[in-house]
Amino acid sequence: MISQPSCASPTMDGPKLKEVSVKLPKNFDRPDEPWTHYFTIDLLWTTLGYTLFHPFITWVICLCLRAQYTPYGAPEMRIAVAWAMAMSMIGIFNIFSERIAFGRPREVDLAEEVIVITGGVDGLGGLLAETYGMRNANVAVLDTKKVSDDEAEEKGVLYYECDVSDPKQVEAAVAEIVEDLGPPTILINNAGIVQAKPILDSTAEEVEQTFRTNTFSHFTTLRTFLPHMIQERRGTIVTVASVLGHVGAANLASYAASKAALIALHQSLRSELAQNPDADEIKTILVTPGQMGTEMFAGLKTPSNFLAPVVTPAEIAKDILRLIEKGESGEVAVPLYSKYIQILNVLPVGVQALVRRWSGLDTAVARSGMMKGAPKNK
């Protein structure tokens, strides 16, 4: 921690500049990784999406061939034109598909929005809160962890000490937020905990605690915040679930089950909002990330860094921010496998068993040492 000294001289008149605490990145704490560590299927897929799979680029290739006087009947020209037409049709289909599914985007002006983030002191929620705080947005965080007034002022965020699993605390916090900032219009349901234990070793109290924090809290916040959005006739609701909600995992039964419930809750919420004429401008975003590089899953390793890289909160936050600020509904699923993991459930059961065995999905928690210690928060 270093302090930036004031540039004003003690003998000069006028107020001194505010001293700002700066925490420099600790690059030296990170081990040096070979370049192959950063070469993943996600990077490859993104690169292809901006090149060979991009309609504009594919038509540019056709123009380049014509610039070389390639005849229209030449095999390479026919292949290039056919590929460009296929990419264009897929792109147009995706545009219409998203419009049918999610409707038209709403206008978003951060100065007019009130953003509420549960579990927003650290991790993914903390990053989102600090990002919006730096942009002078109206941000309120609900979390059980305390934050000093000086830190809150420095980040530009209002923190409310609140256990989101307690409906009374949430209702009291919402009343304060409405008085301090105004009616909430963006809700990011991010709070969550994980208890890594076999089913037979889990107590009823531990399972209930996981569901109260990970699942029941979403019902509470929706019942409390959604009426304000309907009254304002605009809003965005972000549901942070997990890829484990699609596949489950040994020793994470309560966590996976609570996240699976969120995926179903999100679909039900979308259906109910579609039937409410006053909710036409209320957008929904489902987040199903793979393994994040946070304290929550510290020590857990994926079987293949190429196929299943560990994602940073910044990568997920970037996509969430993009959808929120474009006023769109949608889904955030990173890395790439989390977007298509549902295909696993329609494969023959023997293939599913082989994939789970090869991936180490059901042995990763036991190897990581996560089952030692207290529950971890996001």
Side-chain angles (χ1 to χ4, degrees), residues 194-198 202 251-252 254 365 370-373 375:
V194 60
Q195 308 229 30
K197 283 188 175 183
S202 301
N251 303 313
L252 288 174
S254 60
V365 173
M370 283 182 59
M371 291 188 286
K372 301 177 182 178

Side-chain angles (χ1 to χ4, degrees), residues 6 21 62 74 78 102 140 178 188 233 241 351 369 377:
S6 171
S21 297
C62 296
R78 290 183 176 181
F102 305 127
V178 172
I188 303 177
R233 301 181 71 91
V351 176
N377 298 319

Side-chain angles (χ1 to χ4, degrees), residues 32-361:
D32 293 332
E33 301 285 357
W35 68 268
T36 53
H37 176 80
Y38 303 99
F39 181 71
T40 65
I41 193 172
D42 290 70
L43 177 62
L44 183 61
W45 186 259
T46 301
T47 304
L48 290 173
Y50 284 104
T51 53
L52 292 180
F53 294 160
H54 197 287
F56 178 79
I57 299 299
T58 55
W59 284 113
V60 168
I61 294 174
C62 296
L63 293 175
C64 290
L65 289 174
R66 281 300 299 154
Q68 296 177 353
Y69 299 102
T70 304
Y72 285 108
E76 59 270 30
M77 192 66 184
R78 290 183 176 181
I79 293 173
V81 171
W83 182 257
M85 292 180 64
M87 293 301 101
S88 299
M89 287 188 291
I90 292 174
I92 295 172
F93 173 82
N94 288 335
I95 292 174
F96 278 99
S97 176
E98 292 184 3
R99 180 58 61 87
I100 293 171
F102 305 127
R104 299 180 62 181
R106 74 179 184 93
E107 293 186 7
V108 175
D109 181 359
L110 290 182
E112 307 259 333
E113 306 285 340
V114 176
I115 305 165
V116 180
I117 305 173
T118 66
V121 170
D122 48 28
L124 174 62
L127 179 60
L128 291 168
E130 291 179 32
T131 300
Y132 278 127
M134 287 189 294
R135 298 171 63 182
N136 295 322
N138 303 307
V139 188
V141 166
L142 306 184
D143 205 306
T144 55
K145 299 175 183 176
K146 295 182 179 180
V147 175
S148 66
D149 293 338
D150 291 340
E151 183 180 352
E153 183 179 359
E154 183 180 345
K155 293 180 178 179
V157 178
L158 292 181
Y159 292 90
Y160 299 84
E161 190 176 351
C162 172
D163 182 355
V164 292
S165 66
D166 185 346
K168 292 183 179 179
Q169 291 190 39
V170 173
E171 292 172 3
V174 172
E176 291 185 52
I177 292 172
V178 172
E179 183 177 351
D180 295 339
L181 300 174
T185 55
I186 297 177
L187 170 64
I188 303 177
N189 269 321
N190 169 75
I193 62 172
V194 60
Q195 308 229 30
K197 283 188 175 183
I199 296 174
L200 295 180
D201 293 341
S202 301
T203 65
E205 291 76 15
E206 290 170 339
V207 174
E208 182 180 356
Q209 181 187 15
T210 300
F211 271 84
R212 286 180 65 86
T213 304
N214 294 2
T215 307
F216 298 161
S217 65
H218 286 242
F219 283 92
T220 300
T221 54
L222 288 175
R223 287 196 304 266
T224 310
F225 288 93
L226 193 53
H228 293 283
M229 297 183 188
I230 293 175
Q231 185 176 358
E232 293 290 315
R233 301 181 71 91
R234 62 190 172 95
T236 299
I237 299 171
V238 181
T239 302
V240 181
S242 170
V243 69
L244 290 178
H246 291 302
V247 296
N251 303 313
L252 288 174
S254 60
Y255 178 81
S258 66
K259 293 300 184 178
L262 290 184
I263 296 173
L265 171 61
H266 171 81
Q267 298 298 340
S268 299
L269 173 65
R270 281 191 57 204
S271 300
E272 292 185 15
L273 292 176
Q275 298 175 6
N276 189 332
D278 293 332
D280 185 55
E281 293 291 306
I282 298 179
K283 303 302 177 180
T284 58
I285 300 171
L286 176 64
V287 185
T288 54
Q291 184 183 335
M292 274 196 294
T294 62
E295 191 64 29
M296 194 175 192
F297 289 98
L300 195 63
K301 294 182 179 180
T302 61
S304 169
N305 188 68
F306 177 76
L307 295 175
V310 175
V311 295
T312 64
E315 294 176 86
I316 300 170
K318 176 189 65 176
D319 289 341
I320 295 174
L321 294 171
R322 176 180 56 82
L323 285 175
I324 289 177
E325 291 171 27
K326 289 177 69 176
E328 296 180 349
S329 294
E331 296 185 5
V332 175
V334 287
L336 183 64
Y337 77 86
S338 64
K339 186 175 183 179
Y340 300 102
I341 195 66
Q342 297 179 66
I343 296 176
L344 178 65
N345 295 325
V346 300
L347 296 176
V349 290
V351 176
Q352 293 184 41
L354 290 175
V355 171
R356 295 182 73 95
R357 191 179 308 165
W358 169 82
S359 67
L361 174 65

